[in-house]
Amino acid sequence: MTTRISESARPSERRVIGNVLRGSIGNLIEWYDWYAYAAFTTYFAKSFFPAKDTTAAFLGTAAVFAVGFLMRPLGGWMLGRIADRFGRRFALVLSVSMMAFGSLLIAVTPTYKDIGIAAPILLLIARLIQGLSVGGEYSTSATYLSEVATPGKRGFYSSFQYVTLYGGQLLALGLQLLLQSILTEAQLTSWGWRIAFVVGAVAAVVVMYLRRGMDESESFQAETARSGGSGRQAGERGTVRALIKYPKEIALVVGLTLGGTVSFYTFATYSQKFMENTAGIPRRTVTVILFSAILVAAILQPLAGKLSDRIGRRKLLMFFGIGGTLCTVPIMTLMGATKQPVLAFLLMLAGLVIVTGYTSINAIVKAELFPTKIRALGVGLPYALTVAIFGGTAELIAQALKSAGHESVFFWYVTGCVLVSLIVYGTMRETSHSSELERDREA
């Protein structure tokens, strides 16, 4: 039996916008909680590790950051499966609940001085839980936004995933700037950093209740009607057995993600430590630079997403691939050598503008590859595996190479990852007008 959603039954544009906003605010808080860790690492690193050397302490927290990423494939599988079998809304509520618990655990964990080795262990547990949450959040929110978006505007609406992702980082950095202005360096290092995680935990609980009022996507409802139910009645929906029937699409997700995730985490997170430790720019100035550049990048996301609706996704991916391959080494080399805040800002912004070719549309491109019955898992699992292996270890590799005295090798490593993705972009087909999402609409 074929289930068709009539044009008259489709939600109004106002309703679509409301669903996108309610979905996005949860994504915003999820990523605030995730990036609060990166933003406040310079303050709490020595609270959880006994190292007296700053670089060594950063290396310890970077390792925990990387291990948190290792849970993202499990989260992508677990919550992707739940989303494909029980609904996008249910998975999104569960995801933000887990994030709230992880943030609260970081906020209340005593220091290494107080409880010894238990401190970094509890920090690790919290990041593992947050890794599960973020791994599932990406796939489910990408799927949800792509499915509730108006046909012909999917690139625009789906770009809000990275608007809110950047927005979460901006909130973390904005709170950092505020705390830097009202607390002393000693207070921030001693206890002030905990405020960021308390705020994140409380906000996540609020969002958990807001998400309970979201509409389920029509694509999922139609698929449920076609397959005869959800949960145990869902058959192969959301299973790895169903996913492996799409090997080409899985490979494309990996290739699409590789260069983008390494570049994104290089410019959006590692650059904070890079400007401070390598360029020698004062910490507060670095925070202002990072905040300003990411604010501009967030504004660019829907503009680029809307452009992709007109010219296609592949051209934007090619822009990122070519720009990242040619410009990463020069940008990072100059950034590490300058002490001029304005120049550092322009260099970082240049990197983020190039990465926008990937970030603004990566979610919708992946969603357009898979049918409804396997979309959340198909988007989430191969993406999360790639991010865990390459994105999550980017800062760890950079810090290790710096400690070994070969920091510039990292710039070439990033370039090589982008080059691999560029090759994939050059061989893939356009997805915007021949996608599984369009087939859903016609079904």
Side-chain angles (χ1 to χ4, degrees):
M1 176 179 176
T2 301
T3 303
R4 179 183 294 275
I5 300 172
S6 68
E7 293 297 330
S8 61
R10 294 184 188 283
S12 65
E13 193 73 11
R14 182 176 180 180
R15 189 70 179 176
V16 169
I17 293 172
N19 283 326
V20 169
L21 290 177
R22 280 180 287 178
S24 296
I25 192 172
N27 201 47
L28 175 76
I29 299 304
E30 284 255 0
W31 288 104
Y32 162 81
D33 285 328
W34 182 256
Y35 282 116
Y37 184 98
F40 286 87
T41 291
T42 54
Y43 293 107
F44 70 73
K46 293 183 180 179
S47 294
F48 291 100
F49 295 92
K52 296 181 180 180
D53 178 67
T54 299
T55 300
F58 281 168
L59 193 59
T61 51
V64 173
F65 190 73
V67 171
F69 273 82
L70 296 179
M71 294 301 287
R72 290 179 66 167
L74 183 57
W77 168 77
M78 182 180 76
L79 290 172
R81 177 181 172 85
I82 289 172
D84 284 330
R85 297 178 73 86
F86 296 94
R88 319 314 191 193
R89 181 176 57 190
F90 178 77
L92 287 169
V93 171
L94 178 59
S95 171
V96 78
S97 303
M98 293 166 62
M99 182 60 75
F101 179 78
S103 291
L104 183 61
L105 183 57
I106 294 175
V108 302
T109 296
T111 66
Y112 184 90
K113 182 179 179 181
D114 294 327
I115 60 173
I117 193 66
I121 291 175
L122 288 173
L123 177 66
L124 177 62
I125 291 172
R127 288 303 285 180
L128 293 178
I129 294 171
Q130 289 187 323
L132 280 173
S133 173
V134 171
E137 172 69 22
Y138 174 87
S139 60
T140 310
S141 62
T143 298
Y144 182 77
L145 291 177
S146 67
E147 289 178 348
V148 300
T150 305
K153 297 182 180 180
R154 289 196 175 103
F156 173 72
Y157 283 125
S158 295
S159 71
F160 280 89
Q161 186 182 46
Y162 262 84
V163 172
T164 52
L165 190 153
Y166 277 127
Q169 191 171 7
L170 287 173
L171 286 178
L173 291 171
L175 180 60
Q176 186 180 49
L177 286 171
L178 176 63
L179 292 177
Q180 286 172 339
S181 67
I182 62 178
L183 298 177
T184 66
E185 188 83 2
Q187 288 173 325
L188 269 171
T189 302
S190 176
W191 56 268
W193 60 267
R194 295 182 187 273
I195 295 173
F197 296 98
V198 172
V199 169
V202 172
V205 171
V206 172
V207 169
M208 178 180 66
Y209 286 99
L210 288 176
R211 278 188 161 176
R212 294 173 66 184
M214 291 166 50
D215 293 334
E216 184 55 82
S217 81
E218 290 185 344
S219 293
F220 177 78
Q221 293 179 54
E223 177 61 32
T224 300
R226 283 196 295 268
S227 59
S230 61
R232 293 181 179 179
Q233 298 176 326
E236 287 193 344
R237 258 192 6 245
T239 65
V240 174
R241 183 169 57 182
L243 179 60
I244 60 176
K245 295 178 181 178
Y246 300 88
K248 181 179 178 181
E249 287 78 7
I250 293 171
L252 276 173
V253 171
V254 173
L256 285 165
T257 304
L258 173 58
T261 188
V262 173
S263 291
F264 173 77
Y265 282 104
T266 295
F267 288 109
T269 62
Y270 173 65
S271 61
Q272 184 179 22
K273 288 87 174 177
F274 181 69
M275 285 186 281
E276 183 180 331
N277 277 355
T278 299
I281 299 174
R283 182 178 294 178
R284 179 173 173 79
T285 302
V286 168
T287 304
V288 173
I289 291 171
L290 192 61
F291 183 91
S292 302
I294 289 176
L295 177 61
V296 176
I299 295 171
L300 289 176
Q301 302 307 302
L303 299 177
K306 188 172 183 178
L307 179 62
S308 79
D309 286 327
R310 301 189 61 173
I311 68 173
R313 324 294 188 209
R314 186 170 172 271
K315 291 179 181 178
L316 265 69
L317 291 172
M318 291 295 293
F319 165 77
F320 159 67
I322 294 171
T325 300
L326 296 178
C327 300
T328 297
V329 172
I331 288 174
M332 295 299 292
T333 301
L334 289 172
M335 189 187 297
T338 185
K339 287 182 168 49
Q340 298 297 322
V342 174
L343 179 57
F345 163 76
L346 292 174
L347 288 167
M348 183 180 175
L349 181 59
L352 290 175
V353 167
I354 291 171
V355 176
T356 294
Y358 164 79
T359 56
S360 61
I361 60 171
N362 85 95
I364 186 63
V365 171
K366 294 161 191 170
E368 287 173 336
L369 293 172
F370 295 95
T372 302
K373 65 181 180 181
I374 199 66
R375 184 169 293 132
L377 184 61
V379 171
L381 183 55
Y383 166 83
L385 282 167
T386 309
V387 172
I389 296 170
F390 296 99
T393 59
E395 184 173 328
L396 182 62
I397 292 171
Q399 294 281 15
L401 287 170
K402 178 177 175 59
S403 296
H406 302 291
E407 189 170 32
S408 62
V409 174
F410 177 70
F411 312 158
W412 290 102
Y413 167 75
V414 177
T415 298
C417 291
V418 177
L419 179 60
V420 172
S421 287
L422 175 59
I423 294 171
V424 174
Y425 305 151
T427 58
M428 68 176 288
R429 63 175 174 82
E430 180 57 65
T431 64
S432 57
H433 300 298
S434 59
S435 68
E436 292 289 350
L437 280 164
E438 292 300 322
R439 296 187 183 96
D440 284 349
R441 182 170 180 251
E442 296 167 359

